[in-house]
Amino acid sequence: MSIVGKILGEVGADTAKGLLDGVGDLATKIRGAITGELPPEQRFTLEKLALEADQLQNKGQMDINLAEARSTSLFIAGWRPFIGWVCGLALAWNFVLYPMVRWWLTARHPDVTPPPSLDLSTLYPVVFSLLGLGVYRSYEKVKGVSTKH
């Protein structure tokens, strides 16, 4: 039997324990209100809800991506290959065709100004992101996620 139980008896001890627990909860709530901190249980619950919301959002985006990939319409599923072809043609022009055209114009028509080269500083981020997607797609193929393409 606790000291409080010896002094007040069992009923009084239970009442005192309930009162002290209530005061402790009140103190925790006051501290949380002053500092803006949540109790660990509430913080865990909120973090769990936030994680579930993120997972739900990611699943929604994956469903949209899957619907786009399954489409046979050129306007829905064709934009990614189109961007790949544009980037490939821009790189081919800048590093293969442009030097040949410039050489040919210089050799045959020195008085003609060659066409301008492309500013690749804006193209490189797109190319690198496409290469990243290509690597990810290759990883999926190795893992056997999709065997259709």
Side-chain angles (χ1 to χ4, degrees):
M1 183 177 270
S2 67
I3 296 173
V4 175
K6 289 180 183 176
I7 297 172
L8 300 176
E10 284 302 315
V11 175
D14 288 342
T15 304
K17 182 176 181 331
L19 181 63
L20 291 174
D21 286 344
V23 169
D25 288 343
L26 179 64
T28 302
K29 289 178 182 177
I30 290 172
R31 186 194 75 217
I34 292 171
T35 62
E37 294 178 7
L38 294 174
E41 299 85 21
Q42 287 180 347
R43 188 172 52 236
F44 174 76
T45 303
L46 290 175
E47 288 173 354
K48 183 179 174 186
L49 287 173
L51 182 62
E52 289 173 359
D54 284 345
Q55 289 173 344
L56 187 61
Q57 180 183 9
N58 290 340
K59 183 176 179 339
Q61 184 62 50
M62 287 189 296
D63 291 342
I64 291 170
N65 291 346
L66 184 62
E68 282 184 354
R70 286 184 178 164
S71 175
T72 57
S73 170
L74 184 63
F75 292 106
I76 295 173
W79 69 272
R80 288 181 182 151
F82 171 75
I83 292 174
W85 281 107
V86 167
C87 290
L89 289 173
L91 291 173
W93 167 254
N94 221 50
F95 294 113
V96 178
L97 298 174
Y98 177 73
M100 289 182 185
V101 167
R102 189 175 178 130
W103 170 80
W104 185 80
L105 283 175
T106 304
R108 298 285 182 169
H109 306 284
D111 55 329
V112 176
T113 305
S117 65
L118 298 176
D119 176 21
L120 295 181
S121 65
T122 56
L123 182 70
Y124 282 141
V126 178
V127 170
F128 292 145
S129 64
L130 287 173
L131 291 174
L133 288 174
V135 169
Y136 181 69
R137 182 70 181 124
S138 298
Y139 176 77
E140 283 183 336
K141 283 186 174 185
V142 167
K143 292 296 183 183
V145 174
S146 176
T147 58
K148 290 184 180 180
H149 299 104

